[in-house]
Structures are given as C-alpha cells and as structure tokens.
Amino acid sequence: MFWHMVKKEILMIWRRPRELVVLLLMPFILITILGSALGTIMDGGEESGSLHAKLLVVLKDDTVNAQKVTVSEIEASTVSPEEKKMQMETVYAVDPVSTFMHEIKENKELKKLVTMTVVEEENSTSAEESEYTGILTIPSGFTEQFYQKLLYGKEISAEWSFKETDSTSLAATVLKDILMSYQKELSYMNISAELNSEYTPTNSSAVGKLENVTKKKVVDSFSYYAIGMCVMFVFFVASTVAGFAYQQKESYMYQRILLANVSPYTFFFGIFVSTFSLSFIQLHLLFGLSALVYDVVFASFIHYFVVTFLLNILAASFAVFTAALSFRANSNNVPTLFTNMLIPILAFAGGSYFDLSASGGFMETLGEFSPLGAAITAYLKVYQGYSLMDIAGQMEAILLFSGILLLVSVVLLMRKRGALA
C-alpha cells in the first residue's frame, strides 16, 4: 500500500504538464538569463571568456647543464655515499624552471587562462611586447644557483623578473598571482631543506603545483546561478507536492485512503518519499543540462551525490511539514503562501539571487547556515574541490533543519488527529 501512495503522488504531478514545465524549464531559463546578465559583474568586470593572459617567457637559463654541473660537484665532494645519493636524488627530482613551464602548459585550469610563448633571447620590439600580458625573464645561472641554495644554503643572485604591459588588467593580476604562488612553493622547499638535514625530495610532478592558484576552481556566474536556481526550485517541488496532498483532502481522496485502513503517517511518508524522488530526478536533470550547455561540472561526483541526497531529504521534510501545516490549518493557502513568499525569502537569505559572501559579516554567516544557503554553500565548495570535512558544517545544518521540520510535522499530526480526517 505504501508504494501505491508514492506512485499516486508522482502520477499526480506527472499528469500536470504545466507544473513540470515550471519546475524543469523555468530554472534553466533563469540560469541562462542571470548567468548572462550578471556574468560581467560576478566575474570582476570582465567576461570569463575574455580573461586570457599571454605570457612571454625569456629563458636564458640552461637547466640541463645546471643539473649536470651540480651532479658533478656532488660526485667530487667528500661527503658520505648516502648523503651523495640523497643530494643527487634531490637534484634529479627538482627542476624549478621545467616544472613551472610544464604546469602552465598541462594544467587544465591554467590552460584556460594562460597562453605561454618561450624564447631564448628577448629580441622583440615594444610593439610586439604589447601583444603579451606580461614578460617573464629567467636569467642565466638561476637553476644552478637554486641547487646551491637548496643543498648548501647559498644565496641566489639570479632572480626571475616579471614585467606586465598593463598593471591594471585582471589578466596581469592573474599572472602575478601565479608567479607569487610558485615563488612561495620554492621558498617552502628551501626552508624545508634548511630545517631538515635529511630533506626528502618531493616528487617532480608535485613540486611547484601552484596549489594556491589552481587547486580550487573559479566559480563563474553560470556555475553560481546553476546551483542557486537548482536549490531554490527543489523547494518549489516540495510546496507543489504539498499542495496536491491538500487537494486530495478537498476531493475526499484522503478520507477514502483512511477508510482503507491506511495510517495518516503512511500517507505523509508517501509524500516524503515521492518528494525525495521527484527532487532527486529534477536536480540530476538540471545539473546534467547545465554541465552539457554551460560546463558546470562538479569536482567530485561522490561529494555531489552526498550533498544532493541531503538536500533531497530537506526538500522532502519541507513538503511533509507544509502538507501537515495545511491539514492542521484546514487551508490550501499554506502551500500557496510558502510558494509565493516563504521560499523566495529563504532563497534571498540563502544567496540564490546574489553572492552573499561578497557582503561579508552577518549576511554571509546567515547565508551559509540558512536552509537554502547551507545547500548552496555546500554545492559551491564541492564544485571548487573541497572535501566532505570542509562542508561538514553545512551538512550538519541541512540535517538539523530536516530533523526540525519532521519533528514539527509529527507534532502537528499528533495534535487533534481527528481534525486531519
């Protein structure tokens, strides 16, 4: 009998194409409109597609020869064979110049932002230089001096120099951030070598990973509004199902179900499961369409699935609460009021319409831990590549709101139970 309750709720919304269009097509239309209209504002005054930096690298250093010279010096030194082996492994594992250029060329995120041209001598004119966002010069002897600093603590006199053509452009700022991040990685490496005499070299594929720049994905306008609209419309599914539930009472279907010896709790649990199923399907369709059209792809499907599962529980709990409250008040105005007023207010407080993190302070905190805001923040962090531990607070908030809604629903069903019939 329970599965018949679930099937009944799903068929009721399936046979109403108008509601299906609103719940499935409308959010995608809003993603397109808001993402296009507000993209320039959210992306810092430049369209995301136009944010592309051209880097000219003037490479005067010979990294291969630097390695050979350093290894020869190590072999000729008087240190123990074990220490020689460790130092040579360090030299072979660490190549600061090659690692930097490999990361720029091969990193998926950086490839979208930076185009790099490498030359051995700077023979370009001022007119040709103006075509580049910035010019990086790597002087002769840098790699050899870097090894001397890494192994023996000697000072480096050959330093990289960077010159931007327009210091006010966002692309130039991105290049400077990349270089500063890489410089920090090299500094940490040197500090580790100075503090630990048994310094263990890092694998060459990981050195200079530029984690501060590339580890977290940038949230563009389409990604933000895809998440914001999907989360908001999940609650419209909940209020729609709750409205259909009260219509069953008005048409005496609910009374006939009770006469068939079906518990009211079974009826409302059917609302819970059907809302969970419908919102689950809705989210996957909308996020799937957003991935195909706007490349909104989450960093981890497992983490995305966990957040989606918790959001579906929250939406289902909200549907049960709305239905129980409308039965308790004996009015179909409750789902309508929630649809027209409460959900838009929750969406505003949660950040569906604009990024609350930009305002900071109380509004940012409110957005992160309001019902919709907790889900939006969790999705954004998953999109950027954070772990489940990083979104534990938001997941706890979602479960807490779900538990409160279900508890209040049970209380509403227990009080004056006869009135529910």
Side-chain angles (χ1 to χ4, degrees):
M1 181 60 71
F2 165 71
W3 293 111
H4 290 290
M5 297 292 102
V6 176
K7 180 180 178 181
K8 168 182 62 65
E9 298 294 338
I10 294 177
L11 287 176
M12 287 187 69
I13 194 170
W14 178 256
R15 292 170 179 171
R16 289 168 169 79
R18 179 176 175 273
E19 280 76 8
L20 284 175
V21 170
V22 171
L23 296 175
L24 294 177
L25 184 60
M26 185 60 69
F28 190 75
I29 293 175
L30 288 175
I31 292 169
T32 303
I33 294 174
L34 293 173
S36 301
L38 302 180
T40 302
I41 298 175
M42 287 195 64
D43 297 335
E46 296 186 42
E47 294 184 6
S48 58
S50 64
L51 177 56
H52 193 86
K54 296 179 67 177
L55 175 64
L56 175 64
V57 178
V58 182
L59 181 59
K60 300 179 180 181
D61 193 26
D62 188 346
T63 59
V64 176
N65 183 65
Q67 276 193 344
K68 291 180 179 179
V69 171
T70 306
V71 170
S72 299
E73 291 178 355
I74 294 173
E75 291 176 344
S77 64
T78 58
V79 298
S80 64
E82 292 78 9
E83 191 170 349
K84 283 184 180 181
K85 180 181 178 181
M86 185 177 63
Q87 289 179 348
M88 283 191 287
E89 287 177 350
T90 300
V91 171
Y92 286 127
V94 180
D95 187 344
V97 176
S98 299
T99 301
F100 172 79
M101 292 194 292
H102 179 271
E103 193 69 24
I104 295 292
K105 291 179 180 179
E106 302 300 330
N107 185 281
K108 292 182 179 180
E109 295 300 320
L110 286 179
K111 285 170 66 175
K112 299 177 183 178
L113 297 174
V114 181
T115 299
M116 183 176 63
T117 302
V118 181
V119 296
E120 293 183 357
E121 293 293 337
E122 186 176 5
N123 297 320
S124 57
T125 63
S126 299
E128 293 173 341
E129 290 180 358
S130 63
E131 298 178 0
Y132 296 96
T133 309
I135 301 173
L136 173 65
T137 303
I138 302 177
S140 176
F142 169 79
T143 302
E144 186 175 348
Q145 291 187 26
F146 175 81
Y147 290 141
Q148 296 295 320
K149 172 68 174 178
L150 186 64
L151 297 175
Y152 311 118
K154 297 182 179 180
E155 293 300 322
I156 298 178
S157 59
E159 297 181 349
W160 293 13
S161 63
F162 177 72
K163 179 178 65 176
E164 66 269 26
T165 55
D166 182 7
S167 59
T168 62
S169 70
L170 183 58
T173 303
V174 169
L175 283 181
K176 286 189 288 187
D177 287 343
I178 291 173
L179 292 170
M180 289 178 63
S181 176
Y182 190 67
Q183 183 183 19
K184 289 180 180 178
E185 293 288 339
L186 297 180
S187 299
Y188 295 152
M189 195 184 309
N190 285 322
I191 292 172
S192 298
E194 292 173 1
L195 296 179
N196 186 1
S197 58
E198 297 181 357
Y199 173 68
T200 303
T202 309
N203 185 279
S204 60
S205 63
V207 174
K209 191 89 174 179
L210 307 178
E211 293 185 0
N212 293 335
V213 177
T214 64
K215 186 177 181 180
K216 307 305 178 187
K217 293 173 65 175
V218 177
V219 180
D220 59 18
S221 57
F222 284 104
S223 301
Y224 185 87
Y225 284 112
I227 293 172
M229 293 300 105
C230 287
V231 171
M232 180 175 70
F233 273 85
V234 160
F235 286 85
F236 283 124
V237 170
S239 61
T240 300
V241 174
F244 290 161
Y246 189 79
Q247 290 177 16
Q248 295 175 58
K249 182 179 180 181
E250 290 183 326
S251 63
Y252 299 102
M253 182 186 298
Y254 174 70
Q255 288 81 352
R256 292 196 295 272
I257 291 174
L258 295 184
L259 290 174
N261 200 27
V262 177
S263 168
Y265 297 105
T266 302
F267 176 83
F268 282 91
F269 189 53
I271 294 175
F272 181 94
V273 175
S274 59
T275 304
F276 181 96
S277 303
L278 290 169
S279 61
F280 185 84
I281 295 171
Q282 180 202 39
L283 282 175
H284 283 303
L285 287 175
L286 290 175
F287 279 128
L289 193 58
S290 298
L292 290 174
V293 178
Y294 298 121
D295 196 28
V296 181
V297 180
F298 289 90
S300 170
F301 178 78
I302 295 177
H303 296 171
Y304 155 78
F305 184 84
V306 171
V307 175
T308 300
F309 184 83
L310 295 177
L311 178 58
N312 294 149
I313 292 177
L314 179 59
S317 303
F318 184 80
V320 173
F321 167 74
T322 305
L325 187 60
S326 62
F327 273 58
R328 179 70 178 81
N330 199 29
S331 173
N332 195 32
N333 291 329
V334 174
T336 303
L337 182 66
F338 282 9
T339 300
N340 295 333
M341 290 189 63
L342 181 61
I343 294 177
I345 292 174
L346 290 174
F348 175 82
S352 290
Y353 304 126
F354 63 94
D355 187 5
L356 291 177
S357 63
S359 60
F362 173 76
M363 289 299 295
E364 181 180 6
T365 304
L366 175 65
E368 288 184 359
F369 295 100
S370 62
L372 275 73
I376 291 174
T377 302
Y379 270 129
L380 289 173
K381 288 185 176 181
V382 170
Y383 176 81
Q384 291 182 288
Y386 286 86
S387 67
L388 288 179
M389 290 299 296
D390 294 320
I391 60 174
Q394 284 73 41
M395 292 192 296
E396 291 173 359
I398 294 173
L399 288 175
L400 177 62
F401 284 119
S402 302
I404 292 174
L405 289 173
L406 290 176
L407 180 61
V408 174
S409 301
V410 171
V411 173
L412 290 172
L413 292 173
M414 291 177 62
R415 296 186 59 189
K416 296 184 178 180
R417 178 176 172 180
L420 297 180

